[in-house]
Amino acid sequence: MDPDTLQAINAIESLKARYCRGLDTKDWAAVGSVLADDIDVETTALGGTRVTGASNYVAALQRDYGDAVTVHHGHMPEIEITAAGAAAGTWAVQVLLVEPDGKRLLSFGHDHDTYGIRNGRWVITGMKSTRLQADPS
């Protein structure tokens, strides 16, 4: 693999890590900073909706998870550079959600993301989450 491809993959892996950390620490500005302004997010497989736009998506995250404890782990990234300045990735994910009332949900599945270069840096341009297993307690 050539050095430019390796550098792009490394940047995308770091991007996803910053997204997860921002979400779990409720650093909404950090979450917004890794998203394309025109991001398209599909969460219908999780019981959610389709959201377009970074500000709309961050607002939905704040509403849905702002008072909850979340732990997002992304593993085994499969990242493919699809064109100059564009990529797609699939991540195995494990997510723990603890609601303020103590209800918990541990889920396992995949995130299917797209990435692009905007203003000279990689950002997430699309996200679709699917789950294979969800264990409430």
Side-chain angles (χ1 to χ4, degrees):
M1 198 173 297
D2 69 271
D4 289 339
T5 299
L6 290 173
Q7 185 176 24
I9 289 171
N10 183 265
I12 291 166
E13 289 174 347
S14 293
L15 177 71
K16 183 69 168 190
R18 287 192 309 277
Y19 167 79
C20 291
R21 181 174 40 84
L23 180 55
D24 292 341
T25 61
K26 311 305 183 244
D27 185 344
W28 305 118
V31 171
S33 75
V34 301
L35 306 176
D37 290 339
D38 61 347
I39 190 170
D40 182 32
V41 181
E42 175 68 53
T43 62
T44 55
L46 308 180
T49 61
R50 185 175 209 132
V51 179
T52 303
S55 60
N56 293 332
Y57 181 53
V58 171
L61 291 171
Q62 286 178 288
R63 180 191 67 235
D64 295 343
Y65 303 112
D67 294 329
V69 173
T70 60
V71 180
H72 289 77
H73 287 182
H75 308 276
M76 303 183 308
E78 301 171 62
I79 298 170
E80 176 186 1
I81 305 303
T82 56
T90 300
W91 297 78
V93 294
Q94 177 180 352
V95 179
L96 173 65
L97 169 67
V98 182
E99 297 285 355
D101 64 4
K103 290 182 184 171
R104 300 167 64 97
L105 178 67
L106 179 61
S107 63
F108 306 87
H110 296 93
D111 282 354
H112 310 272
D113 300 341
T114 56
Y115 311 95
I117 295 179
R118 303 286 197 280
N119 299 317
R121 64 185 181 86
W122 285 99
V123 291
I124 303 170
T125 59
M127 301 174 76
K128 181 178 181 180
S129 296
T130 58
R131 295 297 179 261
L132 300 170
Q133 179 70 34
D135 298 321
S137 61

